[in-house]
Amino acid sequence: MEVEAGKGVSSCGRDPSAELDDDGRIKRTGNVLTATTHIVTVVVGAGVLALAWAMAQLGWIPGISVMLIFACISIYTYNLIADCYRYPDPVSGKRNYTYMQAVDAYLGGTMHVFCGLVQYGKLAGITVGYTITTSTSLVAIKKAICFHKRGHKAYCKFSNNPYMIGFGMLQILLSQIPNFHKLTCLSTIAAASSFGYALIGSGLSLAVVVSGKGKATRLFGTKVGPELSEEEKVWRVFSALGNIALACSYATVVYDIMDTLKSYPPENKQMKKANVLGITAMTTLFILCGGLGYAAFGDHTPGNILTGFGFYEPFWLVALGNVCIVIHMVGAYQVLAQPLYRIIEMGANLVWPRSVFINKEYPTKMGTLTFSLNLFRLIWRTIYVIVATIIAMAMPFFNEFLALLGAIGFWPLIVFFPIQMHIAQKQIRRLSLKWCVLQLLSFVCFLVSVPAAVGSIRAISKNIKKYKLFMYKQ
């Protein structure tokens, strides 16, 4: 993503500065629409298909209320993040190219380190989660065909591992894309596919409801009884909150998205519009998918309405929905991995600025395809994808892993840091009414995140105890 100043070479006597932005980098061309596309790509992930299960745990009133509350909080705090893209002035100040840089500028070094640990740890976790999601969907395609041919009670279980390995090999190739700006086309295709599988899942659920085969639902979710203890109900509610929290999150790449925007109108104004559009689209889909899925399956809503086989027919439509998930995961993996790649490569460049291995680019041509090869980028990104794939093969638990990622990232990245940066930027007086309200919001969100994380860890540990390493079959 880093582009050296002066690389915008002019032609035909044009002024080179006309092709450069105010920071000396090649002119950015992104706008509200492209930023919204990136947001949708990241936010409307396969986690949306787990929202029906989350709705089943919470019920109609708490479920819809939580989604709307999370959406309102997200719009507010992401707008605070947008105002902190430049320092100290949100319109004319110096750019912060990463979330960590913004935290460092406004809050100092200690918070900078804490932010980095949370942000890039979560990015790494999400790439593992997307590997799990992809393999789950690929196996679901095979199962849909198997059930169609042999009947719904046939033994149709397959290992996820070959599909994880294949996905990892594809991501090794795509990871050689040098920077985030090259991903707009991939991101657009991924965003379109995300709407595809969300609408397919919702449509299949709607068909069940309209046909009169929908199950009984409740205002406050699954009922405590012989099949569900009070303790288990509480833990499920916590995990459901984690699933919804993950669905709201794109803080890990928000500045990478902003760094694609043209300089006029001001980036923060463009990003605020994109935040509203993206989060509105996301919330509409969340309520649609979650509500219809719950109405279709009631207390027995599967963890993923397309891979949990609440639907068997039409098998081709179930398979198509899972194909859309796979296409989306291919693009979203890169949208989220590129910032992680970049921070490591920037660090290596700072430590070893004269290293040929780290910094030299080799122009390469394969047939009509011309690209630039960097040995450090090739080796380190390859190793990273391999490690992420191995971890996914060891812990292939879709709902639990997504809930944990959501719980870990929600409070610090979406609430705490934006609020603290806003207080520092606006110099809000300590113990003033606004200061107290902002800190109360942060504390309440913290109280939501902690039990959600604990509930997810508990669910993962329970699954690991009854599962042989690398031998999971879906």
Side-chain angles (χ1 to χ4, degrees):
M1 190 165 170
E2 294 296 304
V3 182
E4 293 181 33
K7 292 296 184 183
V9 181
S10 63
S11 60
C12 302
R14 287 182 297 179
D15 180 7
S17 64
E19 298 181 5
L20 302 179
D21 254 328
D22 58 297
D23 58 348
R25 299 188 180 187
I26 294 175
K27 244 187 205 316
R28 297 156 175 86
T29 58
N31 52 40
V32 172
L33 182 60
T34 61
T36 302
T37 300
H38 281 307
I39 291 171
V40 171
T41 302
V42 176
V43 171
V44 187
V48 73
L49 299 173
L51 293 177
W53 178 87
M55 182 77 82
Q57 312 317 310
L58 297 170
W60 288 111
I61 294 176
I64 294 176
S65 298
V66 167
M67 290 182 194
L68 291 175
I69 290 169
F70 276 27
C72 292
I73 292 172
S74 297
I75 288 175
Y76 177 68
T77 56
Y78 279 118
N79 286 348
L80 299 184
I81 293 173
D83 283 335
C84 295
Y85 174 64
R86 290 181 180 266
Y87 174 84
D89 183 82
V91 176
S92 59
K94 182 181 177 182
R95 296 173 188 266
N96 290 304
Y97 299 108
T98 67
Y99 198 131
M100 285 179 65
Q101 278 187 331
V103 170
D104 189 31
Y106 285 99
L107 303 178
T110 303
M111 288 295 184
H112 172 254
V113 173
F114 176 46
C115 176
L117 291 174
V118 175
Q119 182 179 357
Y120 292 103
K122 184 182 176 185
L123 279 175
I126 290 176
T127 58
V128 173
Y130 281 1
T131 304
I132 296 170
T133 303
T134 303
S135 68
T136 302
S137 290
L138 288 169
V139 169
I141 294 169
K142 193 170 183 179
K143 289 176 72 173
I145 298 170
C146 175
F147 284 130
H148 179 69
K149 289 181 176 179
R150 301 180 186 176
H152 298 171
K153 294 184 179 180
Y155 180 83
C156 295
K157 289 194 174 183
F158 307 98
S159 172
N160 291 42
N161 292 345
Y163 301 101
M164 290 191 187
I165 293 170
F167 181 72
M169 293 172 66
L170 174 61
Q171 291 302 335
I172 287 173
L173 294 175
L174 292 177
S175 291
Q176 301 314 310
I177 296 172
N179 60 58
F180 196 86
H181 293 275
K182 305 289 186 182
L183 294 175
T184 299
C185 181
L186 188 63
S187 181
T188 302
I189 295 171
S193 69
S194 69
F195 279 100
Y197 65 71
L199 292 175
I200 288 173
S202 300
L204 289 170
S205 299
L206 179 62
V208 171
V209 174
V210 170
S211 67
K213 297 179 181 178
K215 305 300 182 183
T217 59
R218 296 181 176 86
L219 293 179
F220 295 96
T222 50
K223 187 178 180 180
V224 174
E227 296 181 0
L228 183 67
S229 67
E230 289 186 4
E231 179 188 2
E232 189 64 26
K233 166 76 175 179
V234 171
W235 287 119
R236 286 190 181 187
V237 167
F238 290 155
S239 291
L241 293 175
N243 274 298
I244 296 173
L246 176 68
C248 297
S249 179
Y250 57 96
T252 45
V253 295
V254 62
Y255 280 149
D256 296 275
I257 294 172
M258 287 194 72
D259 200 40
T260 66
L261 295 173
K262 56 189 177 183
S263 301
Y264 186 83
E267 298 90 352
N268 64 326
K269 291 185 178 180
Q270 295 181 72
M271 194 62 188
K272 286 178 180 180
K273 291 180 181 178
N275 288 335
V276 173
L277 291 172
I279 293 173
T280 300
M282 128 191 140
T283 307
T284 302
L285 272 175
F286 289 176
I287 294 174
L288 186 68
C289 289
L292 287 174
Y294 180 39
F297 302 111
D299 287 353
H300 300 288
T301 302
N304 182 321
I305 58 175
L306 280 180
T307 64
F309 281 88
F311 309 111
Y312 291 93
E313 300 292 342
F315 83 98
W316 61 269
L317 191 56
V318 175
L320 178 61
N322 282 290
V323 168
C324 289
I325 293 176
V326 173
I327 294 171
H328 180 234
M329 292 299 99
V330 169
Y333 187 106
Q334 286 303 313
V335 170
L336 291 170
Q338 287 286 335
L340 177 62
Y341 294 154
R342 187 188 70 168
I343 197 69
I344 297 297
E345 288 155 16
M346 285 174 61
N349 179 267
L350 290 173
V351 176
W352 298 287
R354 299 182 182 276
S355 170
V356 173
F357 171 69
I358 290 174
N359 299 295
K360 186 173 178 60
E361 298 283 343
Y362 298 91
T364 307
K365 188 173 183 180
M366 293 180 63
T368 58
L369 180 64
T370 302
F371 58 96
S372 183
L373 182 67
N374 174 278
L375 293 179
F376 175 67
R377 184 168 65 235
L378 173 66
I379 293 172
W380 119 256
R381 293 188 182 191
T382 299
I383 292 173
Y384 173 81
V385 174
I386 291 172
V387 171
T389 304
I390 291 172
I391 294 173
M393 291 166 65
M395 294 192 305
F397 311 123
F398 176 79
N399 276 73
E400 297 84 354
F401 204 87
L402 294 187
L404 177 60
L405 293 173
I408 289 174
F410 177 72
W411 174 71
L413 296 178
I414 301 179
V415 182
F416 175 73
F417 287 123
I419 284 177
Q420 299 308 317
M421 287 193 292
H422 177 69
I423 290 172
Q425 183 186 55
K426 300 299 182 182
Q427 298 181 346
I428 298 172
R429 186 168 52 86
R430 187 179 179 85
L431 298 180
S432 65
L433 178 61
K434 186 174 182 180
W435 185 92
C436 290
V437 171
L438 289 171
Q439 298 294 5
L440 178 62
L441 173 62
S442 179
F443 181 67
V444 169
C445 291
F446 173 75
L447 292 180
V448 172
S449 292
V450 170
V454 174
S456 304
I457 292 170
R458 176 181 175 274
I460 290 173
S461 64
K462 283 182 66 178
N463 281 328
I464 287 177
K465 288 178 182 177
K466 59 183 180 182
Y467 156 70
K468 292 182 180 179
L469 204 63
F470 301 110
M471 296 293 289
Y472 179 78
K473 285 190 177 182
Q474 177 191 329

